[in-house]
Amino acid sequence: MIEVRNLKKIYADEESQTKALDGVSFAIKKGEFVAIMGPSGSGKSTLMHILSYMDRPSSGQYTFLGRQINELSDHDLAHIRNENMGFVFQAFNLLSSSTVYENVELPLIYSAVSPGSRRPLVEDAIASVGLVDKTYVSAGKLSGGQKQRVAIARALVNNPDVIFADEPTGNLDSVSGAQVMEIFEKLNASGRTVILVTHETYTAQFANRLIRLRDGKIEVDEPITNRRKTSEEFFK
């Protein structure tokens, strides 16, 4: 699904250049659950932005579903982001005054899906995160954990090829964080590809594979063997 070869990202100003990524290479297959970790300044956020088509590399190759990023226009990138990618952010990025239904429906509106076709898609996505009873509640009235579950439903509604989750438990307490990670695990078990950026070791343990960055380079790329699969194990 994803192939990265010798990826580099350099931020330059009048006085200096900073290498955020320095020759990164890896591949991610369909159905993998990958955690990307690293200290502040390691390049993990930059890598996530490039993988999710929010930024372009300075050099190197990034191929997603067989298409290289340098062959695509900004319009193409925006279309692929909406049709093939789902996003979950630390800050939820919900419309507080809109209902759960309206928040989850939003990507379908941008995709020009007809109103009659939207309802079953939205309702299925909301049901998949266990929030049917909150469907017509304003997002601003939900708890942090519930808001993140709405964000996951919104990420799912277009049936994307991959879900990008950027510090999805960063604003949650440990119980809500575990519940959110269990949802990601179930999505992955059903065949969904998940790419997670996190600084929390216990959150990364829900993934199958760890890519650890340091100073813009891959320090570790290996399977995760000490996984935790339930809320009970999460707190041991």
Side-chain angles (χ1 to χ4, degrees):
M1 176 177 287
I2 286 173
E3 186 174 6
V4 169
R5 292 184 181 180
N6 198 29
L7 204 68
K8 297 183 180 182
K9 181 64 178 181
I10 299 173
Y11 295 104
D13 56 31
E14 295 180 355
E15 299 180 356
S16 63
Q17 292 187 341
T18 301
K19 288 185 178 181
L21 293 175
D22 189 11
V24 172
S25 299
F26 60 86
I28 296 176
K29 296 179 181 179
K30 178 177 174 60
E32 283 198 80
F33 189 167
V34 181
I36 300 173
M37 299 188 72
S40 179
S42 63
K44 61 182 185 297
S45 293
T46 298
L47 178 58
M48 175 68 98
H49 289 158
I50 292 173
L51 293 180
S52 59
Y53 282 179
M54 294 184 182
D55 198 0
R56 293 179 182 265
S58 301
S59 63
Q61 295 183 347
Y62 169 33
T63 304
F64 176 68
L65 294 177
R67 302 182 71 184
Q68 290 189 28
I69 190 171
N70 59 7
E71 299 173 348
L72 302 170
S73 67
D74 289 346
H75 176 78
D76 292 332
L77 297 186
H79 178 76
I80 293 171
R81 274 198 305 271
N82 195 53
E83 297 293 329
N84 302 100
M85 300 175 176
F87 300 91
V88 181
F89 303 97
Q90 179 177 347
F92 317 131
N93 291 359
L94 301 179
L95 302 175
S96 296
S97 60
S98 297
T99 66
V100 169
Y101 185 99
E102 290 166 339
N103 273 281
V104 175
E105 182 186 31
L106 201 57
L108 299 177
I109 295 174
Y110 288 121
S111 296
V113 176
S114 67
S117 300
R118 291 177 204 159
R119 180 167 294 278
L121 298 174
V122 174
E123 291 177 345
D124 285 350
I126 293 172
S128 72
V129 298
L131 287 177
V132 173
D133 60 328
K134 304 293 184 183
T135 299
Y136 298 106
V137 174
S138 296
K141 296 181 179 179
L142 302 178
S143 68
Q146 290 170 334
K147 289 178 180 178
Q148 197 59 294
R149 285 153 66 187
V150 174
I152 294 172
R154 181 184 59 193
L156 289 173
V157 74
N158 259 344
N159 192 30
D161 294 284
V162 59
I163 295 176
F164 293 100
D166 192 358
E167 300 282 4
T169 62
N171 284 341
L172 304 179
D173 59 65
S174 57
V175 174
S176 298
Q179 293 171 343
V180 164
M181 291 311 301
E182 285 186 343
I183 292 174
F184 282 120
E185 187 174 52
K186 289 176 181 176
L187 291 172
N188 177 246
S190 70
R192 194 82 58 171
T193 306
V194 180
I195 300 177
L196 165 74
V197 165
T198 182
H199 67 278
E200 300 166 329
T201 300
Y202 55 85
T203 299
Q205 286 175 335
F206 282 83
N208 302 107
R209 174 182 172 191
L210 171 66
I211 296 176
R212 187 186 300 277
L213 299 177
R214 183 176 295 276
D215 298 329
K217 298 177 180 290
I218 293 180
E219 182 180 54
V220 171
D221 185 353
E222 62 186 15
I224 295 175
T225 56
N226 57 334
R227 301 185 69 222
R228 297 184 179 181
K229 297 184 178 180
T230 67
S231 295
E232 290 76 14
E233 290 175 315
F234 188 89
F235 293 110
K236 287 183 179 179

